[in-house]
Amino acid sequence: MSAAPADGPAAAGLSAEDVEKLLGDPYDAANPHGFAAAVARDERDAFPEELCRTLCEAGFHLNYLPREWGGTFVSFDHSLTLVRAAARRDVNVMPGTMFSIIAATCLQLHGTPEQRAKVAAILRDGGAVAFALTEAAHGSELLANEVRWADGLLHGEKWIVGNGMRAAALYAVVRTGERGPGAMSAVLLDLADAPAGRLVRVPGPRTGGMRGIDLARVRFDALPVPPQARVGAEGEGLEVAIKAQQAVRLMSMAGSLGIADSAVRLTLDFVAARRFGRAGLGAVPHVRRETAVASAALLAADAVALAAARGVHGLPEAFSVWGPVAKHVVAEATDELVRRCGGVLATRAVLREDAPGGGLFQKLQRDSSVVRVIDASPLANVRSYAGQLPTLLHRTAAAGAREQGGGEMGTGGLAGLLRFDAPLPPYRPGRLDLVVRGADPVLGALPGLLAAAPPSAGRTDPLNRLATAVAGLPDEAEAARRPGAGPNALVDLAERFAWLHGAAACVGLWAANRDRALYGTEPGSTGWLEAAVGYLLARADGVDPRRCGDAVTPALDVVARLRDQGLLFTALPVRLAATR
């Protein structure tokens, strides 16, 4: 994929505001692309056929395909915001239009020109290419998978195959050896060519949230697979799949952010319209505190996601850690804010009728729980990078000491990537790696970013506490791997690391854009930043964010102002089609 300048034309691609205009007023009960339609589909376990068709006819499905494949990809932050505008109405548009991203990324990494051309043609026409990795008996224990390709025949069953019933082709990671990661290879199957009875597709188990999405079980019964179906070299299938999932995690954050946007917006709509005694409900201290925490979680998730989506263009080598860290922060913050919004809505959070959104909030609750696990469980996600942390943190601390406060890492490369009006380097998926081989670019930049900040911004209490917490991470990592540290020590460290890494990313985004009006605030304003960092620090310390007191309060004012102006809750706000 190649990226256009951030302020340049997106060729024939859509913008987030184009999506808003295309899909219309979500509050209109007669709108087939609105909230009422989403709830009605959810009640029927129905796939969003009409919504996906409308988006695909407008070229929405091309936004993640590289230009050389006939796509309209601009950059990951562009795609993130674009998809979020659609997902705030119904997150099911993501599996409906974008589940093929992982197969496409795998083909970019090691497919032949002919295989890439085949997949590109399917995807350009709005078709699907399924990705088959997991098996019901083994879950995230991928090295135990049993589906085997031997003597030209494929045997076994893959589980929870996204778009498996609709797909024209399937990319599968299968066993070709006996043990270790090198025992796994990849094949690309044309499903139309499968002999009758040799490949069977049946609907997968129904889900509690994201109801109606296409998940399948795909069974291979001595399916003939010719040697030319293999993708890449023998034994590299699992390695490539793990690399490709780094990009998938970036895009799954759009689903979480769409859910977060609608949950907070519904709640603020309710609070604005409801009275409690002589005052508005929003004046009740408990309600104000809960909505402030939810707003801070939303701002933190948005900033973390945008920083990662831009960072992958210039620092893909760091994404074996940065990718799952961002996924953890965004998914967990969304899960919490939905819960806090439910507390404010109280009874109306559980009513399917006569409630804000007419049952939409219940759908958001269910959908959030699925997005949280759909590409990796929270534990599998954290474990994917936990083992790297002691070495990574040691290298980062050593690099920071040599550069005496961040140096070029803080004021140059990272800041250039995170500046919204700066052109991004081309995205190079071939530079994705299984481990980070240098220092962490985000934490390594933090001392320089804080040192360069003016006293009124860089010396506030949350930022001081962040600097102290990050400086202590190497010692915590050493303690976590000492004998007797406990079986969960590294996992606990990885969770804490994620929240602190996210806070450092927020500082980086703010520092790179100090002369811009982020979240509708004055240029250089630190209110949103302090709220986001305060929330993330509380999560890192295992403290209820409500105990942050005034630190998170500015987030509510920021988000409420964006709501009143009819704007998406993101750093560079997008005009919405309509608001209540």
Side-chain angles (χ1 to χ4, degrees), residues 8 89 151 162 255 272 326 521 526 544:
R89 299 154 184 277
D151 301 323
T521 63
T526 60
D544 189 325

Side-chain angles (χ1 to χ4, degrees), residues 36-48:
V39 172
R41 286 192 300 270
D42 194 66
E43 293 282 346
R44 304 191 309 271
D45 274 16
F47 187 84

Side-chain angles (χ1 to χ4, degrees), residues 123-192:
L123 299 181
R124 280 197 309 272
D125 291 343
V129 178
F131 174 77
L133 177 63
T134 58
E135 299 172 18
H138 305 296
S140 60
E141 192 182 1
L142 301 177
L143 292 178
N145 280 355
E146 299 175 59
V147 172
R148 180 177 290 273
W149 181 33
D151 301 323
L153 300 176
L154 190 58
H155 298 266
E157 181 178 286
K158 290 293 184 181
W159 183 60
I160 306 188
V161 178
N163 279 347
M165 299 300 293
R166 288 171 165 74
L170 182 145
Y171 177 100
V173 178
V174 299
R175 180 172 292 279
T176 54
E178 294 309 314
R179 62 181 61 185
M184 304 295 177
S185 302
V187 292
L188 180 65
L189 308 177
D190 188 331
L191 301 185

Side-chain angles (χ1 to χ4, degrees), residues 463-474:
L463 300 189
N464 270 333
R465 290 192 292 120
L466 173 61
T468 300
V470 168
L473 280 173

Side-chain angles (χ1 to χ4, degrees), residues 95-122:
T97 60
M98 299 188 69
F99 253 1
S100 300
I101 185 173
I102 188 165
T105 304
C106 288
L107 267 295
Q108 283 182 270
L109 287 169
H110 69 162
T112 65
E114 294 76 18
Q115 289 168 335
R116 292 175 182 175
K118 180 183 184 68
V119 166
I122 293 171

